[in-house]
Amino acid sequence: MTAASKPDGVTGRLVTWIHELAWDDVPDKVRVRAAHLLLDGLGCALVGAQLPWSRVATDAVFGVEGAGDAVVIGTGRTTTPAGAALLNSAYIQGFELDDFHPLAPLHSASLLLPSLLSTASSLGHEVSGRDLMLAAIVGFEVGPRVGYSIGGTRMLSRGWHSGPVFGTAAAAAACAKLRGLDPAMTEDALGFAATQSAGLMSAQYEAMGKRMQHGFAARNGFYSAALAAAGYTGIDQVFEREYGGYVAVYGEGHPTDLDAIARGLGENWETTTVMVKSWAVMGGLHGAVQAAQALRGRLAGRTVERIDIRVGDVVYHHGWWPPERPLEAIGGQMNIGYATAVTLLDGTALPEQFTAARLDSDDVWRLLDRTHVELDRGIDELPPTERFQTHVTLTFADGSTDTESVMAPHGNPLDPVTNDEVVAKFHALADRVMSPDRATAIVDAVLGLADADSLAPLVALLADPVGRAID
């Protein structure tokens, strides 16, 4: 075994921990939650595999990559491991239903499942379920810590798509663990990952590419570990280098915390902080959906003349711009005005609320024309778990008002989605596109991964084509 180039440095401590982490070091609560997070990601992939924009992506990637041995979930097709990593991630991200970390925003399952499945398919030997789960836990832990080091949600406020910026390291770390790389090679993998980290949040307005940006990170993380395993060297001490280092470059312009990358490893488990979504919108809009649901129950036939929404910096910059017709599905899922209006009318924000017809409905746009969003900078002075709070006030035709405030939306660490709710969500998604028996078999396979000698049974269940969720 070769040690890291500087074992007592931040990068050195991180890669040593990755290499040394054993299954018995992980608390049972973390293992169980990790399995449910993987299940949630697969549910999102299965409902996302046959979406209109996913089918465009599939044809495009197969046109470049061609056939291979890696399964592309829900399509009945196989391609190269790199192509599969890209597509499987795009499917998980396909409908804004997948997990996110509320303090250092990234969508972990869309990074880890695709890169790990592609790594397993390329190793030439059986990979156990326990090995995959341990590698996934490494990724769940590394991604947010890298995010903390460069400001977490501040990256969103600056216009970075934070997930691909943090996420390449998460995927590379997980794949390095699955490959059994020593600390020096894991350091090389993270060096490759850091130099490939990127993503612009302007993709959120209309681009299908928003759905694939985590896929670029998953593919690049997969390749980073493969290059390192082959002996191709990457950047040493990449996080702490003063010139051209990850934290120095990406953290420029706001406070950074280099030590966050290695702080609390094996003691504080970020896996249990990951937020499972209840609705098909950007995570920062969950408070608005929840507030609108509560207000809808109190409308009592009154006519809404004005909607006022007050949020903090990250939700405001990430989630508000005056929308214009025609609004694409991705724009509706990222816009706090649309999410609030359609929930007031329909009572929820799930796939049916983002069809082309619903996105262009006159009743929604009447409310959107009456919507005003205010930035409240005081919210950003609150503890991090309260920075997604949302305040919605309705003014009615008779001049009366009603307000609902959501301090921490369901799924937040203060009010987490339970494991039973994760299973229910999986069925709510998967049962749309496959038989309930197949869906139940997938649940059993994922929750039993820790005792599975091979991934083959699960992969076989994921491989066959699924139905279309919205068309």
Side-chain angles (χ1 to χ4, degrees):
M1 183 189 82
T2 305
S5 63
K6 186 179 179 182
D8 60 347
V10 167
T11 305
R13 300 202 309 273
L14 176 64
V15 299
T16 300
W17 178 82
I18 292 169
H19 174 72
E20 293 180 351
L21 182 69
W23 182 252
D24 289 342
D25 297 329
V26 182
D28 186 64
K29 178 182 178 181
V30 176
R31 299 175 190 167
V32 171
R33 189 59 171 178
H36 283 82
L37 292 175
L38 296 177
L39 178 67
D40 185 65
L42 290 175
C44 295
L46 291 163
V47 83
Q50 296 291 347
L51 294 169
W53 42 89
S54 297
R55 296 196 298 273
V56 174
T58 302
D59 289 344
V61 172
F62 269 86
V64 174
E65 298 288 333
D69 296 326
V71 163
V72 181
I73 294 172
T75 66
R77 304 174 72 180
T78 56
T79 187
T80 64
L86 193 61
L87 286 173
N88 288 333
S89 177
Y91 299 166
I92 295 173
Q93 271 269 280
F95 225 137
E96 285 297 321
L97 283 158
D98 56 319
D99 70 70
F100 84 106
H101 194 286
L103 310 180
L106 79 168
H107 302 278
S108 295
S110 72
L111 297 157
L112 304 177
L113 272 166
S115 60
L116 289 171
L117 289 174
S118 288
T119 297
S121 74
S122 65
L123 287 179
H125 61 77
E126 288 290 349
V127 171
S128 73
R130 181 170 296 187
D131 286 343
L132 182 132
M133 281 190 61
L134 185 61
I137 290 167
V138 164
F140 285 129
E141 295 300 313
V142 169
R145 285 179 163 82
V146 172
Y148 290 145
S149 75
I150 54 174
T153 57
R154 290 178 184 267
M155 296 299 285
L156 282 175
S157 298
R158 290 176 58 193
W160 287 103
H161 192 176
S162 55
V165 176
F166 312 156
T168 314
C175 292
K177 182 65 174 178
L178 191 61
R179 287 179 175 274
L181 302 190
D182 67 18
M185 286 184 169
T186 301
E187 182 174 14
D188 288 328
L190 289 175
F192 288 126
T195 201
Q196 297 179 91
S197 297
L200 298 177
M201 207 58 255
S202 54
Q204 72 178 27
Y205 299 114
E206 70 286 308
M208 291 179 182
K210 161 65 174 64
R211 322 257 185 203
M212 193 177 277
Q213 290 189 166
H214 277 71
F216 298 145
R219 178 198 60 192
N220 293 346
F222 158 77
Y223 255 121
S224 294
L227 288 167
Y232 196 67
T233 60
I235 302 169
D236 286 342
Q237 302 159 49
V238 71
F239 293 116
E240 61 262 47
R241 294 276 190 177
E242 293 184 6
Y243 174 72
Y246 181 91
V247 173
V249 171
Y250 286 108
E252 186 177 9
H254 64 246
T256 59
D257 184 5
L258 175 63
D259 287 338
I261 291 172
R263 185 187 303 131
L265 285 168
E267 298 173 1
N268 303 321
W269 296 90
E270 295 295 329
T271 304
T272 58
T273 302
V274 174
M275 177 173 170
V276 174
K277 289 185 179 181
S278 300
W279 301 288
V281 295
M282 181 262 287
L285 308 189
H286 275 53
V289 172
Q290 201 167 317
Q293 287 180 323
L295 289 165
R296 186 174 188 267
R298 307 198 294 264
L299 288 177
R302 294 178 290 179
T303 300
V304 176
E305 288 292 328
R306 182 182 173 101
I307 302 172
D308 287 283
I309 306 171
R310 179 165 54 87
V311 292
D313 183 81
V314 65
V315 178
Y316 183 84
H317 285 103
H318 188 12
W320 176 242
W321 68 94
E324 298 180 1
R325 293 168 107 163
L327 185 63
E328 297 291 336
I330 188 63
Q333 291 174 303
M334 310 301 287
N335 187 280
I336 195 170
Y338 182 86
T340 303
V342 80
T343 304
L344 283 170
L345 292 165
D346 295 357
T348 193
L350 288 172
E352 291 78 7
Q353 279 65 55
F354 301 95
T355 62
R358 196 66 183 121
L359 286 159
D360 200 40
S361 296
D362 290 340
D363 59 344
V364 177
W365 285 90
R366 277 195 294 271
L367 288 182
L368 270 174
D369 290 341
R370 303 173 187 186
T371 298
H372 306 266
V373 182
E374 175 188 355
L375 169 62
D376 183 347
R377 295 195 179 278
I379 290 174
D380 297 298
E381 304 303 319
L382 297 171
T385 51
E386 298 180 26
R387 291 177 190 168
F388 284 93
Q389 66 175 257
T390 304
H391 309 270
V392 180
T393 298
L394 304 183
T395 300
F396 301 102
D398 62 3
S400 64
T401 63
D402 195 356
T403 297
E404 181 70 19
S405 296
V406 175
M407 309 307 290
H410 188 44
N412 185 282
L414 301 177
D415 180 24
V417 169
T418 67
N419 290 335
D420 287 345
E421 287 178 301
V422 173
V423 174
K425 175 188 170 183
F426 176 86
H427 276 292
L429 297 178
D431 289 358
R432 294 168 178 257
V433 297
M434 65 172 59
S435 72
D437 287 345
R438 180 181 170 193
T440 297
I442 292 172
V443 172
D444 292 343
V446 174
L447 299 188
L449 269 177
D451 299 316
D453 294 331
S454 170
L455 299 179
L458 173 60
V459 172
L461 286 166
L462 299 175
D464 286 344
V466 297
R468 298 183 179 185
I470 61 170
D471 65 338

